[in-house]
Amino acid sequence: MAAHLSSGRVNLTALREAGRRELREFLDKCAGSKAIVWDEYLTGPFGLIAQYSLLKEHEVEKMFTLKPGRLPQADVRNIIFFVRPRLELMDIITDNVRREDRGRSPQRDFHILFVPRRSLLCEQWLKEQGVLGSFIHREQYSLDLIPFDGDLLSMESESTFKECYLESDQTSLYHAAKGLMTLQALYGTIPQIFGKGECARHVANMMIRMKREFPGSQNSIFPVFDTLLLLDRNVDLLTPLATQLTYEGLIDEIYGIQNTYVKLPPEKFAPKKQGEGGKDLPTEPKKLQLNSAEELYAEIRDKNFNAVGSVLSKKAKIISAAFEERHHAKTVGEIKQFVSQLPHMQAARSSLANHTSIAELIKDITTSEDFFDNLTVEQEFMSGIDTDKVNNYIEDCIAQKHSLIKILRLVCLQSVCNNGLKQKVLDHYKREILQTYGYEHILTLNNLEKAGLLKLQTGGRNNYPTIRKTLRLWMDDVNEQNPNDISYVYSGYAPLSVRLAQLLARPGWRSIEEVLKMLPGPHFEERQQLPTGLQKKRQHGENRVTLVFFLGGVTYAEIAALRFLSQMEDGGTEYVIATTKLINGTTWIKSLMEKLEPAPF
Amino acid sequence: MSRARADEEEYWHSSKFRAFTFDDEDDELSQLKESKRAVNSLRDIVDDDDDDLEKVSWSGEPVGRRNRLPSLPSLSDAFSDTGVKNYAPELRRPRAEYKDYSNDWSPRDTVRRMQRGKVCSLERFRSLQDKMVLLDEAVAGHDGNVITAVLIFLKRTLRREVLFRELEVRQVALCHLIHFLKETGEQKLLLDLLRFLDRTEEVALSQYREHLNIQDVEKKREFLKGCIGLPFSAEDISHIQDHYTLLERQIIIETNDRHLAMAGQSEIFRKYPRKASILNMPLVTTLFYSCFYHYTEAEGTFSSPTNLKKTFKIPDKQYVLTALAARAKLRAWEDVDALLTTKNWLGYTKKKAPIGFHRVVEILQRNNAPVQVLQEYVRLVEDVETRLNLATKYKCHDVVIDTYRDLKDRIQLMAYKCKVERGSAEEEKINSLLSNMQIRWKN
């Protein structure tokens, strides 16, 4: 079930196993039959840790979605709420508990499992509502780092960036540090820590402090990771704003990948059987899981989309050739062999069919005029063209009322690529946006300014060109088919964050001190002492393993770029990626927007 | 020396009994709670199921009980310690709890225990100094959960001014309190705090945000009116003013139009019934509405497009675009024509489109304009290539033919012949051009 987690350099199955154990232990505390009431947001992340079968083995008989009103009838001994510590959810729980029929027999016991942390604020809230006493077990399930793939971990905490940079609330950094401690408990102390940014500094400090304060955390496990690199998202605000151009990145940009699942429009996936033409077209979205367990997906996910088509057609030829073999199978032995390969071949064929359909869907969009225009503007900004004046295309998009998020992405991108906009330009955009989308969005614009995504150019100096040139962020001769540089993931733009990781590995950050100083926050290096017995003696030719932790989110294109570096023949470093949340420009901007009441229709 | 005494005095006047201060909104409530606690504390410990939570709370304890009852760790801790699975209600407090009881956790230990999810009693921290040490420890631990818990305790046990003053020099804790107040909707205290900190712009925005929660439009308008005087930044203030003016205007238009629509005498409302009210819509949407239903009104009326344009200083481009979309939707082609026609001082007329004619064509096409209308504007697209593309796409044959003629492109013109209907006027035109000896073709 979780084979893909052990495919990488670091076997992440152990982490998943630890999560499952903790879950089982909690379930067993509530003796007897149970029903789980789910905070819907959590079902996705939990699905990556445990399937329903595990819950069933521990007497979970029913599952409900958390919503106000009376809880459904279910003859179970225990009702367990699995929730994030949020006040609005506490109100729903309060409502549920109050409406519970006290006279019913047998009575049901209530419990709460907070994910990832118990919250004193929430408990206080429940207490003020007078229902706290109704809960027998109130516990926490520290689902800090969830394994998404063999080289990918995420906390799936959507509000981290907002909390850190708008509200100065570092709670999720605390969770990140806790997650790293868990990781070290399982995979050994990481001897070297590098970091860039305020949040990175905080996390490193907390790790060092935790290590000091909990002597039990000294372990005797041989370290799997050589280096930890902590990166603040605000060191590189540019990358997530640009449209990702890898296969996986585009799937995420267009359809949104959630907890490795994507929902696609069903039309392209209709079964092609004759005689049933158009009789019952599926109306439910097609749901697919995307991870490296699927061989074909693992091969194409990180490619530039322009290189996906040729792989798919090559695969198609191989598969049809393989099916042709059956005509050549003459002897019983040959037929037997063919039959034994059949399941694998059929799986490969359906995988190919799915990805061909997805690629078609994406192609419809990437070949559209608007996609092209949008991309052209993005690339102009990133390569430093006309970033200091009002852009026609953006104006047109506003006039045509394209989605506000799209507009904000572009305007922010321009601002970041110009180290802030001139007063006149900024005022113009703001005015157009407010007049077209509503004045209340002034709150969102304010948030973006606070986060540094939108700003006024001060001092009249734009240092982006220096950063771009020094870090070689824009590459004119990009090879999308057979890339030789990470810039292929954005067809020309090399993600700044990944460039920092690359330069850290070779030749080291000392070579870019000047640029590091231009980027926000401190950069630093820490060492964690290892007992002599655990110090690594590297075999000749053995790669180093670096864990890159993106505080505030990472995009699939950045992940692709790091995987590309891992696979470089003379790279010398393999990367495992951790993050607070998998993001794209849209979800990221959304998390910074002010929640507005729905229009009163 | 004297400073220390002043502090001490302040503490004694501020920190002990909240019920003695008069400026708290929920005074009565807290008094009730206190007395409830006092009553509860008389009952048998084991019987009172809910009460243990109060004993272990970090929210300020009733004085009389401070020394009588131990501070207890949470139930769940006890369970994990003893591994006991289920208790009948009266047995829910296992004995193990008492073993874990300690009254003298240091601030650091207290914070650490709280970080591990254990509940600790905070009421022992009585002096201002102790409280601040506790807060600083919590901040150093970076766990927002714990910081917030300590802040709730401080908020309950310190006078507002003292709390504000102390937080002013503790930025992280301050941010947490602000976040917490926003989350729990304690708007009044939040605004007081921001004012105390002199963060005036934030006060203004935070207050303005409140309008989102007001459903009644009249009340919302009044509220927005009140916002105009708030200390917004120079750039923001004009937008807030506009927001108010817009809603005010929308209320007038809405009242009027609803009446018109109900009376059923106005043709436009009969023919195109309104799908939704105009209240709370963005400015551009309002302009569109006004161009749709009130296009011909004189500038003096509030609902006329020109009045809106003037009041909100809507740029020409935006205006033309919106008016064009509205009139095209009504298929009022003469209006479109008039909108794009300018007269110079000699009385000559000229077509002008601040948005570019290619955009005009797009909009008209989206509204299914007939070819005759469309081609008039396709012809005016300046860029030849764009013009050819549009003309071909929308089958404005005349424009295509004329353009190829002007380009003297015989080959393209010949190729185009197969795209027009056989025997049509267009085909004839192409034929006559191709046989015209006067034209010097480039190919």
Side-chain angles (χ1 to χ4, degrees):
Chain A
M1 200 59 240
H4 60 288
L5 297 181
S6 54
S7 58
R9 176 72 186 274
V10 178
N11 186 349
L12 294 178
T13 322
L15 186 62
R16 183 171 180 268
E17 206 31 68
R20 290 164 72 89
R21 196 182 323 124
E22 205 185 323
L23 184 60
R24 280 195 294 258
E25 277 166 15
F26 172 74
L27 289 174
D28 289 343
K29 272 184 199 169
C30 314
S33 58
K34 24 196 157 301
I36 295 178
V37 183
W38 286 98
D39 167 358
E40 228 173 353
Y41 183 85
L42 291 176
T43 52
F46 262 86
L48 298 170
I49 299 287
Q51 272 73 42
Y52 184 47
S53 55
L54 181 143
L55 301 176
K56 228 171 164 178
E57 280 163 27
H58 295 265
E59 295 180 86
V60 175
E61 291 175 0
K62 290 267 163 46
M63 310 238 268
F64 307 115
T65 307
L66 182 64
K67 54 173 181 252
R70 188 191 275 263
L71 285 170
Q73 290 298 326
D75 272 327
V76 287
R77 186 85 188 79
N78 303 280
I79 299 272
I80 313 176
F81 294 94
F82 278 37
V83 286
R84 287 166 297 163
R86 297 200 165 194
L87 293 184
E88 65 269 22
L89 300 179
M90 297 306 114
D91 287 339
I92 302 179
I93 293 182
T94 302
D95 190 46
N96 286 169
V97 171
R98 283 209 187 122
R99 285 167 191 260
E100 176 77 351
D101 180 8
R102 286 288 158 202
R104 64 173 285 143
S105 79
Q107 270 213 7
R108 308 193 281 195
D109 285 342
F110 292 112
H111 316 273
I112 295 191
L113 187 63
F114 286 109
V115 185
R117 290 293 314 277
R118 246 173 109 162
S119 149
L120 299 168
L121 177 57
C122 285
E123 293 186 12
Q124 154 90 0
W125 196 258
L126 290 174
K127 183 179 155 194
E128 275 168 16
Q129 310 296 316
V131 295
L132 187 67
S134 311
F135 298 99
I136 296 178
H137 289 295
R138 300 189 308 273
E139 298 212 359
Q140 63 182 19
Y141 182 66
S142 20
L143 191 65
D144 288 325
L145 283 168
I146 307 157
F148 271 60
D149 218 318
D151 59 355
L152 180 60
L153 302 159
S154 172
M155 292 164 61
E156 282 310 283
S157 149
E158 55 184 346
S159 50
T160 297
F161 185 84
K162 185 176 185 191
E163 283 167 11
C164 286
Y165 298 105
L166 283 191
E167 285 148 4
S168 304
D169 178 343
Q170 291 153 357
T171 307
S172 46
L173 298 182
Y174 175 78
H175 293 185
K178 292 274 273 190
L180 282 164
M181 296 312 281
T182 309
L183 216 56
Q184 291 190 104
L186 291 168
Y187 301 99
T189 303
I190 307 174
Q192 241 183 342
I193 305 175
F194 291 93
K196 170 72 186 165
E198 291 291 347
C199 295
R201 185 66 263 184
H202 276 304
V203 171
N205 287 350
M206 279 187 267
M207 285 172 70
I208 292 161
R209 189 184 150 122
M210 285 175 186
K211 190 160 185 262
R212 208 175 44 228
E213 288 184 357
F214 301 101
S217 64
Q218 235 349 314
N219 63 39
S220 52
I221 296 169
F222 201 81
V224 175
F225 297 104
D226 298 280
T227 307
L228 166 66
L229 169 59
L230 295 159
L231 281 177
D232 274 36
R233 185 70 271 175
N234 85 333
V235 170
D236 172 13
L237 293 172
L238 195 166
T239 303
L241 293 170
T243 304
Q244 309 171 70
L245 296 177
T246 56
Y247 182 51
E248 187 167 45
L250 276 168
I251 296 177
D252 187 41
E253 293 275 350
I254 298 167
Y255 298 107
I257 302 175
Q258 273 174 354
N259 303 299
T260 74
Y261 284 91
V262 67
K263 282 183 187 166
L264 299 158
E267 300 82 34
K268 292 254 183 193
F269 298 91
K272 284 190 192 108
K273 274 186 193 148
Q274 280 175 347
E276 294 179 28
K279 205 166 62 186
D280 30 34
L281 276 174
T283 48
E284 286 278 297
K286 170 95 173 167
K287 197 173 170 188
L288 283 176
Q289 187 170 29
L290 301 172
N291 63 32
S292 61
E294 189 184 349
E295 207 179 302
L296 175 63
Y297 187 62
E299 189 181 335
I300 57 176
R301 67 194 316 186
D302 299 320
K303 289 193 182 304
N304 186 295
F305 184 64
N306 284 335
V308 168
S310 61
V311 177
L312 290 178
S313 71
K314 219 186 292 165
K315 291 278 161 188
K317 277 181 202 138
I318 294 172
I319 287 178
S320 38
F323 275 99
E324 280 308 304
E325 295 261 312
R326 70 177 185 276
H327 299 304
H328 308 300
K330 293 266 166 13
T331 68
V332 176
E334 278 169 350
I335 292 171
K336 208 171 162 190
Q337 204 200 343
F338 178 82
V339 170
S340 73
Q341 283 169 352
L342 212 51
H344 180 250
M345 280 162 58
Q346 270 159 346
R349 185 167 64 177
S350 91
S351 159
L352 181 67
N354 281 341
H355 288 291
T356 310
S357 299
I358 298 174
E360 275 170 11
L361 285 168
I362 293 176
K363 199 157 182 171
D364 285 347
I365 289 168
T366 56
T367 50
S368 73
E369 206 175 313
D370 192 58
F371 186 89
F372 179 79
D373 290 346
N374 184 69
L375 193 63
T376 308
V377 172
E378 282 183 9
Q379 301 208 331
E380 277 173 12
F381 288 160
M382 291 190 290
S383 53
I385 299 167
D386 285 344
T387 51
D388 59 350
K389 51 187 185 206
V390 172
N391 181 282
N392 272 333
Y393 175 73
I394 298 181
E395 265 200 317
D396 280 358
C397 289
I398 296 175
Q400 292 172 54
K401 256 196 144 175
H402 285 206
S403 92
L404 177 59
I405 292 185
K406 173 185 173 170
I407 307 295
L408 295 175
R409 267 178 88 160
L410 283 169
V411 173
C412 290
L413 183 69
Q414 182 175 358
S415 171
V416 173
C417 292
N418 200 51
N419 192 24
L421 297 169
K422 286 185 184 151
Q423 184 85 57
K424 238 180 82 188
V425 178
L426 184 61
D427 287 350
H428 180 86
Y429 282 139
K430 272 191 181 177
R431 197 186 170 79
E432 296 259 297
I433 289 171
L434 296 178
Q435 291 190 338
T436 308
Y437 297 92
Y439 291 105
E440 61 277 17
H441 293 288
I442 204 167
L443 297 165
T444 293
L445 293 178
N446 221 273
N447 286 349
L448 295 174
E449 283 187 67
K450 247 184 176 170
L453 277 161
L454 194 60
K455 64 176 186 180
L456 192 64
Q457 198 184 78
T458 46
R461 231 186 87 72
N462 175 8
N463 59 19
Y464 175 70
T466 316
I467 298 171
R468 187 185 73 234
K469 280 173 206 151
T470 316
L471 299 179
R472 294 181 301 119
L473 298 185
W474 186 259
M475 307 294 276
D476 275 320
D477 47 348
V478 60
N479 187 338
E480 292 168 347
Q481 305 291 332
N482 298 299
N484 49 16
D485 181 71
I486 57 169
S487 55
Y488 84 93
V489 297
Y490 287 96
S491 292
Y493 166 73
L496 190 156
S497 56
V498 182
R499 204 54 116 199
L500 289 181
Q502 185 183 15
L503 289 165
L504 176 67
R506 197 180 293 170
W509 275 357
R510 202 155 295 169
S511 61
I512 50 163
E513 284 276 341
E514 286 307 308
V515 167
L516 283 175
K517 277 184 204 144
M518 289 180 188
L519 299 169
H523 57 282
F524 60 88
E525 178 183 353
E526 297 282 351
R527 276 171 196 279
Q528 303 199 87
Q529 278 306 317
L530 293 174
T532 29
L534 296 180
Q535 274 157 21
K536 216 172 191 175
K537 288 176 198 70
R538 197 175 314 285
Q539 304 291 316
H540 180 71
E542 192 192 15
N543 282 341
R544 302 171 56 83
V545 181
T546 295
L547 175 66
V548 187
F549 201 133
F550 290 84
L551 301 162
V554 69
T555 64
Y556 287 100
E558 285 168 303
I559 295 168
L562 283 167
R563 286 186 182 139
F564 171 79
L565 292 178
S566 292
Q567 283 155 16
M568 285 226 301
E569 261 173 40
D570 53 352
T573 307
E574 280 179 61
Y575 294 93
V576 174
I577 301 124
T579 183
T580 51
K581 176 90 179 84
L582 290 160
I583 57 166
N584 59 45
T586 301
T587 57
W588 189 40
I589 295 281
K590 216 179 207 163
S591 78
L592 291 169
M593 286 175 79
E594 200 68 34
K595 306 274 175 299
L596 302 172
E597 295 290 305
F601 275 100
Chain B
M1 196 61 206
S2 64
R3 171 75 198 272
R5 176 172 293 167
D7 275 354
E8 205 173 322
E9 242 171 52
E10 187 152 26
Y11 158 66
W12 285 112
H13 287 121
S14 63
S15 130
K16 209 156 104 193
F17 296 116
R18 210 170 84 115
F20 290 160
T21 59
F22 291 94
D23 53 346
D24 281 318
E25 312 131 272
D26 50 18
D27 240 15
E28 241 178 312
L29 194 66
S30 64
Q31 279 178 354
L32 277 175
K33 279 184 189 161
E34 298 247 272
S35 55
K36 182 176 164 250
R37 278 192 208 126
V39 172
N40 284 343
S41 68
L42 297 174
R43 284 199 246 148
D44 185 330
I45 309 164
V46 176
D47 263 351
D48 189 3
D49 199 347
D50 201 355
D51 198 36
D52 66 313
L53 302 156
E54 296 189 342
K55 279 166 230 150
V56 300
S57 84
W58 16 263
S59 53
E61 272 308 280
V63 191
R65 281 178 45 201
R66 191 176 300 128
N67 299 318
R68 239 168 39 82
L69 288 165
S71 83
L72 304 173
S74 76
L75 288 169
S76 48
D77 287 345
F79 281 119
S80 53
D81 288 343
T82 56
V84 181
K85 278 184 184 167
N86 194 17
Y87 287 87
E90 67 273 18
L91 291 175
R92 267 178 205 160
R93 191 172 297 105
R95 244 169 281 131
E97 280 179 9
Y98 297 98
K99 277 190 261 165
D100 207 13
Y101 149 62
S102 164
N103 211 6
D104 48 7
W105 299 111
S106 70
R108 171 171 280 207
D109 288 336
T110 306
V111 165
R112 262 193 234 168
R113 284 177 56 76
M114 286 167 79
Q115 280 183 344
R116 270 176 264 163
K118 307 196 178 194
V119 182
C120 277
S121 153
L122 300 183
E123 89 277 8
R124 293 182 310 99
F125 299 97
R126 292 184 54 204
S127 77
L128 184 62
Q129 202 199 344
D130 282 356
K131 287 176 183 176
M132 287 309 128
V133 172
L134 179 70
L135 180 61
D136 291 338
E137 273 300 330
V139 168
H142 292 284
D143 184 350
N145 188 23
V146 177
I147 300 173
T148 305
V150 172
L151 284 170
I152 295 172
F153 167 65
L154 297 183
K155 183 169 147 271
R156 294 222 170 165
T157 58
L158 285 178
R159 198 143 47 89
R160 205 171 269 207
E161 300 76 61
V162 181
L163 178 66
F164 290 177
R165 194 193 60 209
E166 292 297 332
L167 289 186
E168 199 175 6
V169 292
R170 292 173 171 84
Q171 281 300 314
V172 175
L174 180 66
C175 291
H176 278 271
L177 183 63
I178 292 174
H179 182 40
F180 162 71
L181 293 176
K182 277 185 192 162
E183 188 114 327
T184 52
E186 288 176 75
Q187 184 73 0
K188 189 167 170 293
L189 188 57
L190 174 65
L191 292 178
D192 285 348
L193 174 59
L194 293 175
R195 265 186 222 113
F196 173 85
L197 298 167
D198 239 6
R199 285 155 70 163
T200 50
E201 264 180 55
E202 253 175 276
V203 174
L205 281 168
S206 181
Q207 205 149 340
Y208 169 73
R209 180 182 289 113
E210 282 290 290
H211 87 266
L212 294 168
N213 301 323
I214 304 174
Q215 290 300 320
D216 183 273
V217 276
E218 288 291 342
K219 281 189 191 142
K220 185 180 272 196
R221 187 193 55 172
E222 275 314 298
F223 184 87
L224 287 173
K225 191 174 183 183
C227 286
I228 294 171
L230 296 172
F232 288 100
S233 69
E235 302 93 69
D236 289 353
I237 187 68
S238 68
H239 298 308
I240 304 296
Q241 168 89 51
D242 279 353
H243 191 174
Y244 163 70
T245 314
L246 179 63
L247 186 61
E248 188 186 38
R249 195 62 68 83
Q250 286 172 339
I251 293 174
I252 297 170
I253 299 176
E254 179 66 22
T255 317
N256 200 29
D257 287 3
R258 198 186 308 133
H259 183 77
L260 273 178
M262 293 221 308
Q265 278 155 358
S266 160
E267 196 195 327
I268 179 96
F269 286 108
R270 254 203 332 266
K271 218 164 149 195
Y272 304 96
R274 304 190 315 155
K275 289 200 185 89
S277 114
I278 193 61
L279 298 171
N280 297 312
M281 292 293 155
L283 175 60
V284 171
T285 314
T286 311
L287 178 64
F288 180 89
Y289 176 94
S290 148
C291 288
F292 195 90
Y293 289 109
H294 302 278
Y295 195 60
T296 51
E297 277 168 27
E299 198 184 309
T301 54
F302 279 142
S303 46
S304 84
T306 30
N307 190 305
L308 285 175
K309 180 174 189 247
K310 223 172 183 176
T311 310
F312 296 95
K313 299 192 191 71
I314 298 171
D316 243 9
K317 219 168 152 178
Q318 185 66 269
Y319 180 80
V320 170
L321 207 60
T322 313
L324 192 64
R327 299 325 286 171
K329 199 166 181 74
L330 287 166
R331 308 177 69 80
W333 310 123
E334 326 79 67
D335 289 342
V336 170
D337 186 67
L339 188 67
L340 300 171
T341 307
T342 52
K343 243 186 208 153
N344 72 5
W345 58 280
L346 284 172
Y348 293 120
T349 58
K350 198 181 170 231
K351 290 273 185 289
K352 219 180 111 188
I355 52 173
F357 281 101
H358 64 289
R359 294 290 304 284
V360 172
V361 172
E362 259 171 52
I363 294 170
L364 294 181
Q365 198 275 330
R366 232 180 292 145
N367 289 289
N368 302 320
V371 174
Q372 300 90 293
V373 175
L374 211 53
Q375 74 179 12
E376 188 181 342
Y377 301 100
V378 174
R379 200 181 289 284
L380 294 167
V381 173
E382 246 177 70
D383 181 66
V384 178
E385 205 177 318
T386 321
R387 193 195 315 152
L388 270 174
N389 278 339
L390 288 172
T392 317
K393 198 156 134 197
Y394 302 135
K395 300 199 165 59
C396 302
H397 301 307
D398 250 11
V399 182
V400 179
I401 296 166
D402 290 348
T403 308
Y404 284 138
R405 180 200 60 202
D406 295 346
L407 289 171
K408 310 214 183 317
D409 195 335
R410 196 173 53 99
I411 294 178
Q412 288 291 349
L413 193 59
M414 266 161 62
Y416 197 74
K417 212 167 91 170
C418 61
K419 292 203 181 146
V420 299
E421 237 173 275
R422 201 161 263 214
S424 65
E426 287 86 13
E427 195 189 40
E428 212 164 288
K429 185 171 174 183
I430 294 176
N431 284 335
S432 86
L433 279 173
L434 288 173
S435 57
N436 187 337
M437 304 302 280
Q438 311 252 285
I439 302 173
R440 303 177 64 174
W441 300 103
K442 72 170 183 189
N443 48 26

